[in-house]
Amino acid sequence: MNAPAKIDLNLPRFASVEELIAREQPDTPVYVLHPEKYHAAAKRFLDAFPGDTLYAIKANPAPHVLDLVYASGIRHFDTASVPEVEYVHSRFPDAHCHFMAPVRSPGAAKLTFEKHGVTDFVVDCDFELDKLLSEVKDAKKLRIFVRIATPLGGAMLELSSKFGTTPADAARLLKRVAGSGAQPAITFHVGSQCLSPFSYAQAIEMARRTSLMAGVTIVALDLGGGFPVTYPGNDVPPYHWYFDTIKEALMTMGQPDLPILCEPGRALIAEGLSVVTQVILRKGDKLYINDGIYGSFDELAITGWTADYPLRAFSLEKGKAVSRPIGQAPFRIYGPTCDTLDVLPRPLMLHENVKAGDYIVFDAMGAYSVALRTNFNGFYPDKWVIVGN
Ligand SMILES: Cc1ncc(COP(=O)(O)O)c(C=O)c1O
């Protein structure tokens, strides 16, 4: 594993969340990083995924998180905008950025190719392909991934109605890519929090048929993100099922040396972050806490999202954080802003005597939380600490 180029984890450290609560008695939300969980998540991919693992930084671009991902050995990044590419390169000059968004602002490809050496781009229509080829004249330096849309159903959040095209249209685009002198490749995204390993096999089969239909030998296959995390309410198959299913499906491609990529976001960073929140007010079975939908909890509000975060609850007693049983009574959880919509979509089961001043700790909160927070009403959680090694 390479040594990190720049690691900025100069943060307060605690042995446990209990110690953090007892010593700090925080009255604003606290983001708790668990470094060993970042290392374990990266290791899972670096050890068993049959290709390059790109971190999709959109899932959590916080500098400490990026540093932990990098320190865990990840050197490739799925970036989707000029600022993301600039940010990754300013932090890690030796990192490889891949521009995997199928829609780009005019000039984005030219700038990232010329200034940052980015050579991987994605298209799913003629307009974006024309734009890319007009911005980067030296087409043979480009690896252009045509994105196919995958069937819905295997994942909690589908990502194929906005981007991706049919195999027949992808085959046509692939021929155009090959004809331009660029290197043709295929990508897809089976959807986020994909609970079915078979979705990857199905998508690989679509990629195989697409390249056959085009009569084009592809130079790389990118399996996207979507690898899941265990949340209450979701049954996640063991990880080796994903990698075994993928390896088996790849054998049918007839290209044993084909370079393979994946772009996990959630799977690399969700488990490494907890959020410590405090109850500000209790009114019967309504609890108002100091974080909410406009802060770290946006993902819970997405239609179709049915998972929750693992929970722990604590009260302060004589300066100590005492663990409280959960699962006794349902509470509706409101965020601190004035908006009626600032409410968690499902009640949480907590201790029946929960009160103002108590703490609720949400685990596995790294994905699409920090990245989506706003400062609506002046609330912007941004206090970071480390728990563990
Ligand atoms: C192109 C692309 N790659 C990767 C990801 C990361 O997906 P996940 O967090 O489900 O692994 C996303 C998520 O939106 C995406 O759009």
Side-chain angles (χ1 to χ4, degrees), residues 100 122 145-148 185-189 221-224 263:
M100 302 318 259
V122 173
F145 291 75
V146 177
R147 178 153 161 181
I148 48 178
I186 294 181
T187 187
F188 53 77
H189 197 305
L221 179 61
D222 175 1
L223 313 187
E263 309 164 6

Side-chain angles (χ1 to χ4, degrees), residues 6 30-31 56 108 126 139 145 170 174 230-231 239 241 243 261 274 278 306 310 322 325 330 349 364 369 374 387:
K6 183 171 172 188
V30 183
Y31 293 123
D126 290 298
F145 291 75
L174 212 52
T230 300
Y231 298 115
Y239 250 73
W241 286 13
F243 296 143
L261 297 77
S274 303
Q278 191 176 35
T306 54
V322 179
M349 297 296 290
S369 51
T374 72
V387 162

Side-chain angles (χ1 to χ4, degrees), residues 56 58-59 78 100 147 159 189 191-193 225-227 263-266 368:
K58 59 180 82 70
D78 159 25
M100 302 318 259
R147 178 153 161 181
L159 285 168
H189 197 305
S192 200
Q193 186 69 359
F227 298 91
E263 309 164 6
R266 182 186 308 281
Y368 307 106

Side-chain angles (χ1 to χ4, degrees), residues 12-26 30 32 276 312 314 316 319-323 359 361 385-388:
R13 262 183 199 268
F14 299 88
S16 63
V17 161
E18 286 89 331
E19 189 196 65
L20 159 71
I21 293 172
R23 272 183 34 202
E24 300 288 307
Q25 307 194 2
V30 183
V32 177
V276 175
R312 291 180 277 165
F314 299 92
L316 268 176
K320 286 210 158 98
V322 179
S323 172
Y359 290 91
V361 178
V385 303
I386 296 173
V387 162

